Structures are given as C-alpha cells and as structure tokens.
Amino acid sequence: MENRACDQSIPTQRGPRPHPGWLVTELAAVDTELGILKTGKEADVFLIRRGVPAGRSCLLAAKRYRDAGHRMFHRDSGYLEGRRVRESRTNRAVANRSAFGREAIAGQWAHAEFGALSRLYAAGIPVPYPAQILDTELLLEFIGSADGTAAPRLAETRPGPAELAGLWDQLVQALVALARDGLAHGDLSAYNLLVHDGRLVMIDLPQVVDVIANPRGAWYLTRDAENAGRWFTARGLSGVRPGPADLPGLLRREAML
C-alpha cells in the first residue's frame, strides 16, 4: 500500500462546489492506495481510501493516464478535432505525435475528462464526482459499495424487463441532457455505464465531443445512440417511447443539429 498526503492541489484542480458531504477534505487526510480496479489501454484505475487518522474516511477511484512511453490513444485524432491550445508548438507536437506531443495529449485527455465531469456533475447528469486532478491523474467518486466492491458495468448485468425499462429511461434522460448542452459521450457502450443500486452512472468521458465544434459531432451523437440502443434491444427492450430507433434523431434535435 502507498500513502500520501491528499492536499496536493490548488483550487482550480478541485471539483465543483459545494463538495459532497461524503468527501473528506480535511488537511490532515491521507490517501492510501488499496489496489487496482481496472486496467486499460489509455489509463489504469486504482482504489484509494482517503481518511483522517482516527477519523472518517471515503473511497475514491484514481484514474491515471499512461505516460508518453506507453501505447495509448490510437484512435484519438477524430476526438481531438475542435480541441486546440494556444501554444502553436504544442499543437504541432500533438499533430506530429512526438514524445512531447503524446505527453500533451495525455494531459489534454485528463483535463478534458475532469472539465467534462465537473460540468456534467454540476448539471445533475449522473457521472462520478470529480474530486481532484493532478497532472494526468484524476481522483473520482468511487461508484460501489463501502467494502470496495466496484459497481458492475451495464454489460455485466442481466436486468429483468422492468429494470431494463428503468435503466433505458435513465440513459435517455442523461443523453438528452448531454445533447442539450452540445455534447456527446463520444464512445458510449454498455461497458462505460455502471449500475449501482438501480442507478445508471456514466463513466469514461475523456473523449467527450463538442458536437458543434467537432465537424463529426452529429456522427458521434448518432453512434452513441445506436450503440446503446443495440444493447437494450438485444436484451428485449420493447414498448417504450422514445425507443432505441427514436433516440438518434431525438439527440440530434436536442443538440439542434
């Protein structure tokens, strides 16, 4: 296990206020790494317990984007359209995928996800609370039980008809709210939706797409809707409005595309 002081950030690197009541924010708190939750091509996720000695504690998920020495973001060019920084040197390095450019891309992904989560959480969209960002590491609300058992992905669940319809309704509401804000998840599937106590939570948002700025925005919006619709249809969803076939057009209308 690895311990570290939790107060390593400045105000702009912390999540939106008001901070949720479960989050430990005391200066004396220490973060203890408990193990790995998930490995991926772009990032690994670790379980963290943040606690005050002889006091209260909370669980967090630490998402650490891989550095320039690792293979990552092999399909990132489309998502990065519409994202630019002021420094022309950085833009050139990103375009050329130099070592510095790959490091800059990792930073862009981390900050894009932190910014998206902060924006969506404040808007009431079901995403994990973004507690903190440090370089290319995000500290996020842990979605799961108090003993450290992570909530299952939607793809790992077998909901009955009533639960399936309820989860679909939650997803439609979340995607409509995203579209109204001019955004698409960008890579939505049953593998980046969690189900915790009947609540659907959207995760993995580094590739969130501004559907107005990105020339392929409508395509990403439609793909998200179709990916989600196929999973629910294959599980027997029927008799709901809007249904899977209605969702792509609904999202494009809500985004005014």
Side-chain angles (χ1 to χ4, degrees):
M1 294 193 299
E2 177 184 343
N3 296 319
R4 66 182 184 187
C6 77
D7 185 35
Q8 301 180 44
S9 60
I10 60 176
T12 56
Q13 297 170 325
R14 298 171 194 156
R17 290 180 176 272
H19 299 313
W22 56 263
L23 180 64
V24 174
T25 58
E26 287 86 342
L27 294 178
V30 173
D31 290 348
T32 302
E33 186 176 306
L34 302 180
I36 193 161
L37 292 171
K38 175 188 172 185
T39 59
K41 293 179 180 178
E42 290 86 18
D44 297 325
V45 183
F46 297 82
L47 182 64
I48 301 290
R49 181 173 296 281
R50 171 174 291 182
V52 179
R56 68 191 191 101
S57 67
C58 67
L59 292 175
L60 296 167
K63 184 172 185 177
R64 296 170 187 165
Y65 281 92
R66 294 179 180 273
D67 62 29
H70 293 77
R71 176 177 178 269
M72 63 178 187
F73 310 121
H74 59 295
R75 295 176 300 167
D76 63 2
S77 59
Y79 297 113
L80 291 173
E81 290 187 74
R83 290 189 198 169
R84 296 290 183 269
V85 296
R86 291 183 179 179
E87 297 85 355
S88 59
R89 172 176 175 261
T90 302
N91 286 330
R92 288 194 300 272
V94 166
N96 295 330
R97 299 301 193 272
S98 67
F100 172 72
R102 292 195 302 272
E103 197 71 44
I105 289 171
Q108 284 191 32
W109 284 105
H111 282 82
E113 181 161 27
F114 185 77
L117 288 171
S118 298
R119 177 176 174 178
L120 300 182
Y121 182 90
I125 295 172
V127 297
Y129 176 77
Q132 184 175 305
I133 182 171
L134 287 169
D135 298 322
T136 57
E137 178 187 82
L138 302 179
L139 285 178
L140 308 173
E141 175 185 0
F142 171 70
I143 307 298
S145 58
D147 66 359
T149 302
R153 300 170 183 174
L154 178 63
E156 300 166 340
T157 67
R158 297 293 180 267
E163 185 183 4
L164 188 71
L167 292 170
W168 173 255
D169 182 63
Q170 290 182 56
L171 180 60
V172 170
Q173 291 184 46
L175 292 180
V176 164
L178 270 175
R180 286 176 179 168
D181 208 15
L183 300 174
H185 182 285
D187 195 26
L188 187 66
S189 76
Y191 289 94
N192 45 36
L193 293 164
L194 303 181
V195 181
H196 182 53
D197 293 338
R199 178 174 175 256
L200 198 71
V201 180
M202 193 178 301
I203 61 169
D204 293 338
L205 286 132
Q207 71 293 310
V208 66
V209 174
D210 183 325
V211 298
I212 306 302
N214 191 303
R216 302 183 71 197
W219 183 84
Y220 284 112
L221 204 65
T222 299
R223 188 179 69 168
D224 281 354
E226 291 177 346
N227 284 348
R230 277 193 294 269
W231 190 90
F232 277 88
T233 298
R235 269 70 188 171
L237 181 72
S238 62
V240 295
R241 289 291 181 270
D246 308 315
L247 188 57
L250 172 62
L251 296 185
R252 289 192 300 268
R253 289 193 299 273
E254 294 293 344
M256 302 183 71
L257 294 176

